Amino acid sequence: MAVALSPLVLAAQKAVADALEVSPDLFVVGSPPNPAMGDLAVGCFPAAKALKAAPPALAAKVVERFEPTELLMSAKAAGPFVNFTVNSEALFKHLATIALDEEELIAKTPGDGKSICIDFSSPNISKQLAYHHIRSTVIGHALVNLYRALGYRVIGINHLGDWGTTHGMLLAAYHKWPPTEDLTIESLNALYVKFRDAMKTDESLEQEGRDWFAKLENGDEEARKLWQHFKDVSWAEFESAYEMLGIKFDEVRGESAYVEDMPGVIKMLDDKGLSSVSEGALVVMLEEDKMPPLLLRKNDGATLYGTRDLAAAMYREESYHPERSLYVVDRGQSLHFKQLFRTLEKAGFEWSSKCIHVPFGLVRVGGKKTTTRGGNVVLLKEVFSEARDRAAAKISENNPEWAPEQVESTAAIVGIGAVVFANLMSQRDKDVDFDWDDILSTSGDSGVYVQYGHARCCSILEKGGMSDIGTEADFSLLTQPQEKALALSLSQLGDVVAKAADHNDPHLLSRYLLEVVSDFSTWYTQGNQDKALRVICEDEPTRRARLTLVAITRAVLKEGLGILGVGAPDAM
Ligand code: ARG
């Protein structure tokens, strides 16, 4: 369980733990079924066994011993639960301080400088980025940001697929059909596809591909130079997508970086008696784990994806001693990672338990799975450009007075943000259905809805005409239940981030942001019915207090969206 960060949660845990004389982190803090019962609920079950008492008796004991704190006003027992009532004024003050004064909404204590390696995106070179690549890219990026927000030292790694027999085939294809124009990612991909097709009828081609790969592995100058060129062309293409998404890697270290380590890895496994020869190939048998063997070296001498992954894992451990080493790779590779981690474990590396495969489901566009080859390729850049066009149309409709450049720059943030958010909105391991109307909806479960909430906060603050919103408001004037409900939800940001990192699942944060916007709208739209409840009301001190709550909401939305890798325009 992630450590709690919210002072409310900590106070509630402490109240129960002190009264029962047990450890505070035994207790989970939730909300009572309805706000009339209180603001926070703590079940006494976890202590019942140790103390040999029934939970309702323990709840009664907590209430009896309860002494009000700055944040907790009162406690009531409800069966096995203790329900606490939060002191709103103290809560508003605390939120204003962290959001507007200290500008540190999330405490950096959990990470405490510990390292986390995150292998994400990691596409294969010489192929376009298809839409499904976005899953690893955006989930990985969000995880990088989640851990960083919590104070971890994160090493975001792009383990480029730049080695293997495919690259031999490509070299062979290049020599067979020398291109007359400058290479592009499209022409590279087309060359490869053409070669694969020709292989179906001409058996000699397979050998040609292998020969070229052998040349590459043996450091043949021509092969190396051309391969480097393929890599440069590919990287330029990938980089433009990363730039649009605001992604920078701390380490771009492809499979080729581990080629020299191969003999050492193979020797190490041999010395430990873990490798054996099977049908001419060198393998690690994993029979007792009911898994097929992990292939180390093919009968033609070429090393494999798995061998390079073994070397990469060892490199990461040696270089960073990570607390966790994550691999954000589609679930189709689950077996590969099980074999990899088990092999490391068998080799006696205790740190193998820190290696975690973070799998994710597929993307379906129009009900169909997207693939790089085969007819149904949906290219990432096409999706981005359509997203921008669609967003631009909506934005210029909403803001007819805007200059074209403003429409365009905002549309880039909204369009791309919508695609990113759509990928982070459902549970990571679920498949995602991609539908344009859903992802750009301003009212439903979409990134646009959250961005719109943020932009609305910006416009209210501007209209409110108080430039010096800070911690100096009279929060006793925020007496509406909706204001307290909003503050309670705003106070959860840090804990939601900690939980999302703990589960390696950014969707928890996406869902939370949708809730915050919905709580905000509930509060804000009251003013449509009752003038006295408007944020921008006549009474100045009340207006100041309400605007402060808007400013806190804006800060939380911006921070949360930023962690997901989604921009937050001030107007849209
Ligand atoms: N290049 C691989 C692919 O496109 C993903 C690599 C993931 N990372 C790793 N260390 N195996 O399928």
Side-chain angles (χ1 to χ4, degrees), residues 164-175:
T165 35
T166 317
H167 308 287
M169 289 185 214
L170 208 54
L171 290 168
Y174 186 92
H175 284 87

Side-chain angles (χ1 to χ4, degrees), residues 16-49:
V16 179
D18 285 357
L20 301 178
E21 293 168 26
V22 288
S23 161
D25 41 53
L26 278 177
F27 301 97
V28 178
V29 180
S31 332
N34 77 64
M37 296 170 73
D39 304 312
L40 305 170
V42 184
C44 292
F45 315 96
K49 209 167 165 198

